[in-house]
Amino acid sequence: MERKDFLKKSAIGIGTLSIIPIFNACKSESTRKSDVKSLKTVGAILQNPKLVTKREGVKLNVLGDNQSIKLTGEDTNGQYALIEQNNEPGIGIPPHVHENEDEVFQVLSGQVSMSIGNKTSILQAGDLVFCPKGVPHSWKVVGKENARAMLSIFPAGLEVMFIELAELAAGPTDMEKVSEICGKYNLRFV
């Protein structure tokens, strides 16, 4: 049996870390030592804690959406990004679809009208919604007070898009340019 076929069959029903000994058994001693060193480095990255106080974060205004990026893919080894939003009534994002990311949107205070697919709901403080990739969704702050929300994005990457969008010139929104930037991250408006 070829090595790649063996690895493929051995990995069925087994977690990634479980196949490392099998994979290493098929390698030379010097290559195994190099892999162990690499795994230790990855382990150190995954175990690096980070404390972010409520006033910390990368502050952005993304097409009117006030964001504070709390955790980036760099912080989480690409697993997810965490963004706090704080917006006035009337602020929102039009219907769009992510091809790569799932999102969890949790309202911390205020009210947010959230549309997912064909359903629209008013979210109150404490409510959250899961937005799977490939499903159109949008949101808008409603009511009379600002709304704060925590946005978790799995996997990370869209925070880089948000930084790029925040660098656009102030003034009327150039949706052609916005769509071009978003398209690089497999996000499209519908």
mmCIF file of all heavy atoms in Angstrom, residues 106-151:
data_model
loop_
_atom_site.group_PDB
_atom_site.id
_atom_site.type_symbol
_atom_site.label_atom_id
_atom_site.label_comp_id
_atom_site.label_asym_id
_atom_site.label_seq_id
_atom_site.Cartn_x
_atom_site.Cartn_y
_atom_site.Cartn_z
ATOM 1 N N GLN A 106 -24.246 38.398 18.314
ATOM 2 C CA GLN A 106 -24.943 38.488 19.602
ATOM 3 C C GLN A 106 -25.131 39.948 19.986
ATOM 4 O O GLN A 106 -24.168 40.715 20.048
ATOM 5 C CB GLN A 106 -24.178 37.765 20.702
ATOM 6 C CG GLN A 106 -24.915 37.809 22.028
ATOM 7 C CD GLN A 106 -24.266 36.989 23.105
ATOM 8 O OE1 GLN A 106 -23.096 36.641 23.018
ATOM 9 N NE2 GLN A 106 -25.024 36.678 24.136
ATOM 10 N N VAL A 107 -26.386 40.310 20.274
ATOM 11 C CA VAL A 107 -26.700 41.673 20.693
ATOM 12 C C VAL A 107 -26.398 41.805 22.182
ATOM 13 O O VAL A 107 -26.872 41.014 22.998
ATOM 14 C CB VAL A 107 -28.183 42.011 20.392
ATOM 15 C CG1 VAL A 107 -28.527 43.400 20.904
ATOM 16 C CG2 VAL A 107 -28.449 41.904 18.897
ATOM 17 N N LEU A 108 -25.597 42.811 22.533
ATOM 18 C CA LEU A 108 -25.254 43.073 23.934
ATOM 19 C C LEU A 108 -26.173 44.121 24.546
ATOM 20 O O LEU A 108 -26.481 44.060 25.735
ATOM 21 C CB LEU A 108 -23.790 43.526 24.035
ATOM 22 C CG LEU A 108 -22.757 42.567 23.434
ATOM 23 C CD1 LEU A 108 -21.369 43.192 23.473
ATOM 24 C CD2 LEU A 108 -22.785 41.237 24.151
ATOM 25 N N SER A 109 -26.578 45.104 23.734
ATOM 26 C CA SER A 109 -27.533 46.130 24.184
ATOM 27 C C SER A 109 -28.212 46.724 22.957
ATOM 28 O O SER A 109 -27.675 46.669 21.856
ATOM 29 C CB SER A 109 -26.822 47.227 24.996
ATOM 30 O OG SER A 109 -25.881 47.925 24.200
ATOM 31 N N GLY A 110 -29.409 47.287 23.160
ATOM 32 C CA GLY A 110 -30.152 47.875 22.053
ATOM 33 C C GLY A 110 -30.947 46.823 21.294
ATOM 34 O O GLY A 110 -31.157 45.706 21.775
ATOM 35 N N GLN A 111 -31.380 47.196 20.091
ATOM 36 C CA GLN A 111 -32.184 46.318 19.249
ATOM 37 C C GLN A 111 -31.626 46.312 17.831
ATOM 38 O O GLN A 111 -31.267 47.368 17.297
ATOM 39 C CB GLN A 111 -33.636 46.802 19.184
ATOM 40 C CG GLN A 111 -34.361 46.790 20.501
ATOM 41 C CD GLN A 111 -35.777 47.312 20.339
ATOM 42 O OE1 GLN A 111 -36.017 48.253 19.586
ATOM 43 N NE2 GLN A 111 -36.711 46.701 21.045
ATOM 44 N N VAL A 112 -31.616 45.135 17.231
ATOM 45 C CA VAL A 112 -31.111 44.977 15.873
ATOM 46 C C VAL A 112 -32.102 44.127 15.083
ATOM 47 O O VAL A 112 -32.498 43.048 15.523
ATOM 48 C CB VAL A 112 -29.717 44.300 15.861
ATOM 49 C CG1 VAL A 112 -29.237 44.077 14.435
ATOM 50 C CG2 VAL A 112 -28.709 45.123 16.644
ATOM 51 N N SER A 113 -32.502 44.647 13.932
ATOM 52 C CA SER A 113 -33.322 43.861 13.006
ATOM 53 C C SER A 113 -32.356 43.026 12.175
ATOM 54 O O SER A 113 -31.477 43.559 11.504
ATOM 55 C CB SER A 113 -34.139 44.789 12.106
ATOM 56 O OG SER A 113 -34.838 44.035 11.143
ATOM 57 N N MET A 114 -32.533 41.699 12.244
ATOM 58 C CA MET A 114 -31.630 40.789 11.547
ATOM 59 C C MET A 114 -32.441 39.962 10.557
ATOM 60 O O MET A 114 -33.446 39.353 10.927
ATOM 61 C CB MET A 114 -30.947 39.870 12.551
ATOM 62 C CG MET A 114 -30.067 38.815 11.934
ATOM 63 S SD MET A 114 -28.589 39.450 11.118
ATOM 64 C CE MET A 114 -27.462 39.555 12.473
ATOM 65 N N SER A 115 -32.007 39.978 9.304
ATOM 66 C CA SER A 115 -32.634 39.147 8.276
ATOM 67 C C SER A 115 -31.659 38.060 7.869
ATOM 68 O O SER A 115 -30.493 38.336 7.570
ATOM 69 C CB SER A 115 -32.995 39.985 7.052
ATOM 70 O OG SER A 115 -33.981 40.927 7.375
ATOM 71 N N ILE A 116 -32.163 36.815 7.865
ATOM 72 C CA ILE A 116 -31.366 35.671 7.414
ATOM 73 C C ILE A 116 -32.251 34.873 6.481
ATOM 74 O O ILE A 116 -33.339 34.433 6.878
ATOM 75 C CB ILE A 116 -30.914 34.789 8.583
ATOM 76 C CG1 ILE A 116 -30.085 35.600 9.563
ATOM 77 C CG2 ILE A 116 -30.101 33.606 8.082
ATOM 78 C CD1 ILE A 116 -29.686 34.846 10.789
ATOM 79 N N GLY A 117 -31.782 34.704 5.259
ATOM 80 C CA GLY A 117 -32.623 34.033 4.275
ATOM 81 C C GLY A 117 -33.893 34.846 4.089
ATOM 82 O O GLY A 117 -33.840 36.036 3.796
ATOM 83 N N ASN A 118 -35.045 34.236 4.293
ATOM 84 C CA ASN A 118 -36.331 34.917 4.126
ATOM 85 C C ASN A 118 -36.961 35.333 5.449
ATOM 86 O O ASN A 118 -38.109 35.768 5.472
ATOM 87 C CB ASN A 118 -37.307 34.002 3.373
ATOM 88 C CG ASN A 118 -36.833 33.722 1.963
ATOM 89 O OD1 ASN A 118 -36.236 34.582 1.331
ATOM 90 N ND2 ASN A 118 -37.077 32.523 1.483
ATOM 91 N N LYS A 119 -36.243 35.206 6.570
ATOM 92 C CA LYS A 119 -36.814 35.502 7.876
ATOM 93 C C LYS A 119 -36.146 36.728 8.503
ATOM 94 O O LYS A 119 -34.926 36.851 8.492
ATOM 95 C CB LYS A 119 -36.652 34.298 8.804
ATOM 96 C CG LYS A 119 -37.323 34.488 10.128
ATOM 97 C CD LYS A 119 -37.271 33.238 10.964
ATOM 98 C CE LYS A 119 -38.025 33.535 12.260
ATOM 99 N NZ LYS A 119 -37.970 32.453 13.191
ATOM 100 N N THR A 120 -36.972 37.624 9.052
ATOM 101 C CA THR A 120 -36.471 38.815 9.742
ATOM 102 C C THR A 120 -36.962 38.779 11.183
ATOM 103 O O THR A 120 -38.135 38.507 11.435
ATOM 104 C CB THR A 120 -36.958 40.097 9.051
ATOM 105 O OG1 THR A 120 -36.471 40.104 7.705
ATOM 106 C CG2 THR A 120 -36.453 41.340 9.770
ATOM 107 N N SER A 121 -36.057 39.071 12.120
ATOM 108 C CA SER A 121 -36.387 39.093 13.548
ATOM 109 C C SER A 121 -35.762 40.321 14.185
ATOM 110 O O SER A 121 -34.719 40.807 13.733
ATOM 111 C CB SER A 121 -35.840 37.849 14.252
ATOM 112 O OG SER A 121 -36.367 36.679 13.691
ATOM 113 N N ILE A 122 -36.397 40.803 15.248
ATOM 114 C CA ILE A 122 -35.812 41.881 16.053
ATOM 115 C C ILE A 122 -35.090 41.229 17.228
ATOM 116 O O ILE A 122 -35.706 40.540 18.042
ATOM 117 C CB ILE A 122 -36.893 42.862 16.573
ATOM 118 C CG1 ILE A 122 -37.709 43.454 15.421
ATOM 119 C CG2 ILE A 122 -36.233 43.959 17.424
ATOM 120 C CD1 ILE A 122 -36.924 44.322 14.470
ATOM 121 N N LEU A 123 -33.775 41.427 17.268
ATOM 122 C CA LEU A 123 -32.966 40.863 18.351
ATOM 123 C C LEU A 123 -32.825 41.884 19.462
ATOM 124 O O LEU A 123 -32.562 43.061 19.213
ATOM 125 C CB LEU A 123 -31.583 40.471 17.830
ATOM 126 C CG LEU A 123 -31.534 39.498 16.652
ATOM 127 C CD1 LEU A 123 -30.086 39.246 16.242
ATOM 128 C CD2 LEU A 123 -32.226 38.200 16.985
ATOM 129 N N GLN A 124 -32.997 41.422 20.704
ATOM 130 C CA GLN A 124 -32.843 42.241 21.906
ATOM 131 C C GLN A 124 -31.523 41.860 22.585
ATOM 132 O O GLN A 124 -30.903 40.856 22.236
ATOM 133 C CB GLN A 124 -33.998 41.945 22.881
ATOM 134 C CG GLN A 124 -35.382 42.012 22.290
ATOM 135 C CD GLN A 124 -35.830 43.429 22.001
ATOM 136 O OE1 GLN A 124 -35.385 44.374 22.620
ATOM 137 N NE2 GLN A 124 -36.731 43.572 21.035
ATOM 138 N N ALA A 125 -31.141 42.623 23.592
ATOM 139 C CA ALA A 125 -29.931 42.311 24.364
ATOM 140 C C ALA A 125 -29.992 40.866 24.856
ATOM 141 O O ALA A 125 -31.003 40.435 25.407
ATOM 142 C CB ALA A 125 -29.795 43.271 25.537
ATOM 143 N N GLY A 126 -28.926 40.129 24.610
ATOM 144 C CA GLY A 126 -28.841 38.733 25.014
ATOM 145 C C GLY A 126 -29.183 37.755 23.905
ATOM 146 O O GLY A 126 -28.808 36.590 23.963
ATOM 147 N N ASP A 127 -29.895 38.221 22.864
ATOM 148 C CA ASP A 127 -30.244 37.347 21.743
ATOM 149 C C ASP A 127 -29.031 37.174 20.830
ATOM 150 O O ASP A 127 -28.198 38.077 20.703
ATOM 151 C CB ASP A 127 -31.387 37.940 20.912
ATOM 152 C CG ASP A 127 -32.699 38.022 21.667
ATOM 153 O OD1 ASP A 127 -32.851 37.336 22.705
ATOM 154 O OD2 ASP A 127 -33.584 38.779 21.218
ATOM 155 N N LEU A 128 -28.968 36.024 20.200
ATOM 156 C CA LEU A 128 -27.907 35.818 19.211
ATOM 157 C C LEU A 128 -28.462 35.032 18.045
ATOM 158 O O LEU A 128 -29.505 34.390 18.141
ATOM 159 C CB LEU A 128 -26.684 35.126 19.805
ATOM 160 C CG LEU A 128 -26.777 33.693 20.304
ATOM 161 C CD1 LEU A 128 -26.643 32.694 19.179
ATOM 162 C CD2 LEU A 128 -25.665 33.463 21.318
ATOM 163 N N VAL A 129 -27.750 35.097 16.947
ATOM 164 C CA VAL A 129 -28.150 34.388 15.740
ATOM 165 C C VAL A 129 -26.903 33.802 15.080
ATOM 166 O O VAL A 129 -25.827 34.401 15.122
ATOM 167 C CB VAL A 129 -28.927 35.316 14.775
ATOM 168 C CG1 VAL A 129 -28.052 36.411 14.234
ATOM 169 C CG2 VAL A 129 -29.575 34.535 13.651
ATOM 170 N N PHE A 130 -27.073 32.619 14.523
ATOM 171 C CA PHE A 130 -26.020 31.953 13.770
ATOM 172 C C PHE A 130 -26.300 32.167 12.286
ATOM 173 O O PHE A 130 -27.395 31.859 11.810
ATOM 174 C CB PHE A 130 -25.992 30.460 14.096
ATOM 175 C CG PHE A 130 -25.068 29.660 13.220
ATOM 176 C CD1 PHE A 130 -23.699 29.874 13.256
ATOM 177 C CD2 PHE A 130 -25.569 28.689 12.370
ATOM 178 C CE1 PHE A 130 -22.833 29.140 12.453
ATOM 179 C CE2 PHE A 130 -24.719 27.940 11.556
ATOM 180 C CZ PHE A 130 -23.351 28.168 11.600
ATOM 181 N N CYS A 131 -25.327 32.705 11.568
ATOM 182 C CA CYS A 131 -25.448 32.956 10.129
ATOM 183 C C CYS A 131 -24.470 32.025 9.407
ATOM 184 O O CYS A 131 -23.270 32.307 9.370
ATOM 185 C CB CYS A 131 -25.095 34.393 9.789
ATOM 186 S SG CYS A 131 -26.052 35.639 10.635
ATOM 187 N N PRO A 132 -24.969 30.915 8.856
ATOM 188 C CA PRO A 132 -24.052 30.011 8.155
ATOM 189 C C PRO A 132 -23.586 30.580 6.825
ATOM 190 O O PRO A 132 -24.296 31.369 6.198
ATOM 191 C CB PRO A 132 -24.873 28.746 7.948
ATOM 192 C CG PRO A 132 -26.285 29.102 8.192
ATOM 193 C CD PRO A 132 -26.331 30.422 8.903
ATOM 194 N N LYS A 133 -22.394 30.178 6.410
ATOM 195 C CA LYS A 133 -21.891 30.611 5.097
ATOM 196 C C LYS A 133 -22.880 30.194 4.017
ATOM 197 O O LYS A 133 -23.585 29.195 4.143
ATOM 198 C CB LYS A 133 -20.501 30.057 4.835
ATOM 199 C CG LYS A 133 -20.420 28.556 4.756
ATOM 200 C CD LYS A 133 -18.985 28.111 4.586
ATOM 201 C CE LYS A 133 -18.866 26.643 4.926
ATOM 202 N NZ LYS A 133 -17.509 26.264 5.207
ATOM 203 N N GLY A 134 -22.943 31.019 2.986
ATOM 204 C CA GLY A 134 -23.806 30.722 1.861
ATOM 205 C C GLY A 134 -25.246 31.183 2.014
ATOM 206 O O GLY A 134 -26.023 31.060 1.074
ATOM 207 N N VAL A 135 -25.616 31.719 3.176
ATOM 208 C CA VAL A 135 -26.996 32.168 3.413
ATOM 209 C C VAL A 135 -27.017 33.694 3.445
ATOM 210 O O VAL A 135 -26.304 34.309 4.245
ATOM 211 C CB VAL A 135 -27.553 31.591 4.732
ATOM 212 C CG1 VAL A 135 -28.961 32.120 5.000
ATOM 213 C CG2 VAL A 135 -27.551 30.073 4.697
ATOM 214 N N PRO A 136 -27.841 34.345 2.608
ATOM 215 C CA PRO A 136 -27.919 35.808 2.616
ATOM 216 C C PRO A 136 -28.394 36.325 3.972
ATOM 217 O O PRO A 136 -29.292 35.737 4.583
ATOM 218 C CB PRO A 136 -28.952 36.129 1.531
ATOM 219 C CG PRO A 136 -29.061 34.902 0.701
ATOM 220 C CD PRO A 136 -28.734 33.756 1.596
ATOM 221 N N HIS A 137 -27.785 37.405 4.430
ATOM 222 C CA HIS A 137 -28.191 38.021 5.688
ATOM 223 C C HIS A 137 -27.847 39.505 5.685
ATOM 224 O O HIS A 137 -27.024 39.962 4.902
ATOM 225 C CB HIS A 137 -27.568 37.315 6.894
ATOM 226 C CG HIS A 137 -26.063 37.295 6.871
ATOM 227 N ND1 HIS A 137 -25.345 36.418 6.085
ATOM 228 C CD2 HIS A 137 -25.156 38.043 7.531
ATOM 229 C CE1 HIS A 137 -24.052 36.624 6.271
ATOM 230 N NE2 HIS A 137 -23.908 37.617 7.139
ATOM 231 N N SER A 138 -28.528 40.238 6.563
ATOM 232 C CA SER A 138 -28.289 41.673 6.726
ATOM 233 C C SER A 138 -28.742 42.060 8.123
ATOM 234 O O SER A 138 -29.436 41.293 8.798
ATOM 235 C CB SER A 138 -29.057 42.478 5.674
ATOM 236 O OG SER A 138 -30.450 42.304 5.856
ATOM 237 N N TRP A 139 -28.339 43.251 8.558
ATOM 238 C CA TRP A 139 -28.786 43.745 9.849
ATOM 239 C C TRP A 139 -28.917 45.258 9.820
ATOM 240 O O TRP A 139 -28.298 45.934 8.999
ATOM 241 C CB TRP A 139 -27.853 43.296 10.981
ATOM 242 C CG TRP A 139 -26.425 43.772 10.849
ATOM 243 C CD1 TRP A 139 -25.378 43.090 10.307
ATOM 244 C CD2 TRP A 139 -25.889 45.035 11.264
ATOM 245 N NE1 TRP A 139 -24.236 43.838 10.349
ATOM 246 C CE2 TRP A 139 -24.512 45.038 10.944
ATOM 247 C CE3 TRP A 139 -26.431 46.165 11.873
ATOM 248 C CZ2 TRP A 139 -23.679 46.120 11.213
ATOM 249 C CZ3 TRP A 139 -25.594 47.244 12.140
ATOM 250 C CH2 TRP A 139 -24.229 47.211 11.817
ATOM 251 N N LYS A 140 -29.736 45.767 10.764
ATOM 252 C CA LYS A 140 -29.917 47.204 10.900
ATOM 253 C C LYS A 140 -30.308 47.505 12.342
ATOM 254 O O LYS A 140 -31.174 46.836 12.918
ATOM 255 C CB LYS A 140 -31.018 47.697 9.958
ATOM 256 C CG LYS A 140 -31.212 49.197 9.966
ATOM 257 C CD LYS A 140 -32.241 49.605 8.930
ATOM 258 C CE LYS A 140 -32.371 51.116 8.873
ATOM 259 N NZ LYS A 140 -33.327 51.525 7.841
ATOM 260 N N VAL A 141 -29.660 48.523 12.925
ATOM 261 C CA VAL A 141 -29.998 48.946 14.287
ATOM 262 C C VAL A 141 -31.353 49.648 14.248
ATOM 263 O O VAL A 141 -31.573 50.550 13.433
ATOM 264 C CB VAL A 141 -28.911 49.884 14.880
ATOM 265 C CG1 VAL A 141 -29.310 50.373 16.262
ATOM 266 C CG2 VAL A 141 -27.559 49.171 14.915
ATOM 267 N N VAL A 142 -32.262 49.220 15.120
ATOM 268 C CA VAL A 142 -33.601 49.810 15.206
ATOM 269 C C VAL A 142 -33.826 50.293 16.638
ATOM 270 O O VAL A 142 -33.008 50.063 17.528
ATOM 271 C CB VAL A 142 -34.699 48.785 14.794
ATOM 272 C CG1 VAL A 142 -34.543 48.404 13.321
ATOM 273 C CG2 VAL A 142 -34.660 47.542 15.664
ATOM 274 N N GLY A 143 -34.935 50.980 16.856
ATOM 275 C CA GLY A 143 -35.222 51.504 18.190
ATOM 276 C C GLY A 143 -34.640 52.894 18.348
ATOM 277 O O GLY A 143 -34.292 53.562 17.368
ATOM 278 N N LYS A 144 -34.502 53.317 19.617
ATOM 279 C CA LYS A 144 -34.060 54.687 19.892
ATOM 280 C C LYS A 144 -32.665 54.790 20.493
ATOM 281 O O LYS A 144 -32.163 55.878 20.706
ATOM 282 C CB LYS A 144 -35.063 55.346 20.840
ATOM 283 C CG LYS A 144 -36.432 55.490 20.202
ATOM 284 C CD LYS A 144 -37.411 56.141 21.130
ATOM 285 C CE LYS A 144 -38.766 56.245 20.440
ATOM 286 N NZ LYS A 144 -39.777 56.861 21.240
ATOM 287 N N GLU A 145 -32.061 53.663 20.786
ATOM 288 C CA GLU A 145 -30.735 53.708 21.407
ATOM 289 C C GLU A 145 -29.701 52.978 20.551
ATOM 290 O O GLU A 145 -30.052 52.170 19.690
ATOM 291 C CB GLU A 145 -30.783 53.088 22.809
ATOM 292 C CG GLU A 145 -31.150 51.614 22.815
ATOM 293 C CD GLU A 145 -31.231 51.030 24.218
ATOM 294 O OE1 GLU A 145 -32.299 51.105 24.827
ATOM 295 O OE2 GLU A 145 -30.193 50.514 24.674
ATOM 296 N N ASN A 146 -28.437 53.286 20.813
ATOM 297 C CA ASN A 146 -27.353 52.575 20.139
ATOM 298 C C ASN A 146 -27.462 51.089 20.433
ATOM 299 O O ASN A 146 -27.993 50.692 21.480
ATOM 300 C CB ASN A 146 -25.993 53.072 20.615
ATOM 301 C CG ASN A 146 -25.593 54.380 19.984
ATOM 302 O OD1 ASN A 146 -26.413 55.085 19.382
ATOM 303 N ND2 ASN A 146 -24.331 54.731 20.129
ATOM 304 N N ALA A 147 -26.951 50.292 19.531
ATOM 305 C CA ALA A 147 -26.887 48.850 19.744
ATOM 306 C C ALA A 147 -25.423 48.425 19.760
ATOM 307 O O ALA A 147 -24.637 48.856 18.914
ATOM 308 C CB ALA A 147 -27.643 48.101 18.658
ATOM 309 N N ARG A 148 -25.105 47.603 20.737
ATOM 310 C CA ARG A 148 -23.783 46.978 20.808
ATOM 311 C C ARG A 148 -23.970 45.503 20.505
ATOM 312 O O ARG A 148 -24.910 44.868 20.991
ATOM 313 C CB ARG A 148 -23.159 47.142 22.189
ATOM 314 C CG ARG A 148 -22.623 48.534 22.447
ATOM 315 C CD ARG A 148 -21.976 48.673 23.830
ATOM 316 N NE ARG A 148 -21.013 47.639 24.130
ATOM 317 C CZ ARG A 148 -21.117 46.762 25.136
ATOM 318 N NH1 ARG A 148 -22.139 46.792 25.967
ATOM 319 N NH2 ARG A 148 -20.183 45.842 25.334
ATOM 320 N N ALA A 149 -23.075 44.963 19.698
ATOM 321 C CA ALA A 149 -23.146 43.545 19.341
ATOM 322 C C ALA A 149 -21.734 42.983 19.264
ATOM 323 O O ALA A 149 -20.773 43.715 19.014
ATOM 324 C CB ALA A 149 -23.859 43.361 18.009
ATOM 325 N N MET A 150 -21.634 41.682 19.492
ATOM 326 C CA MET A 150 -20.367 40.978 19.349
ATOM 327 C C MET A 150 -20.504 40.046 18.147
ATOM 328 O O MET A 150 -21.438 39.250 18.075
ATOM 329 C CB MET A 150 -20.044 40.179 20.609
ATOM 330 C CG MET A 150 -18.615 39.755 20.704
ATOM 331 S SD MET A 150 -17.411 41.113 20.794
ATOM 332 C CE MET A 150 -17.588 41.659 22.479
ATOM 333 N N LEU A 151 -19.599 40.185 17.207
ATOM 334 C CA LEU A 151 -19.600 39.395 15.985
ATOM 335 C C LEU A 151 -18.411 38.437 16.023
ATOM 336 O O LEU A 151 -17.268 38.871 16.131
ATOM 337 C CB LEU A 151 -19.489 40.325 14.772
ATOM 338 C CG LEU A 151 -19.411 39.676 13.406
ATOM 339 C CD1 LEU A 151 -20.681 38.876 13.099
ATOM 340 C CD2 LEU A 151 -19.176 40.735 12.335
#
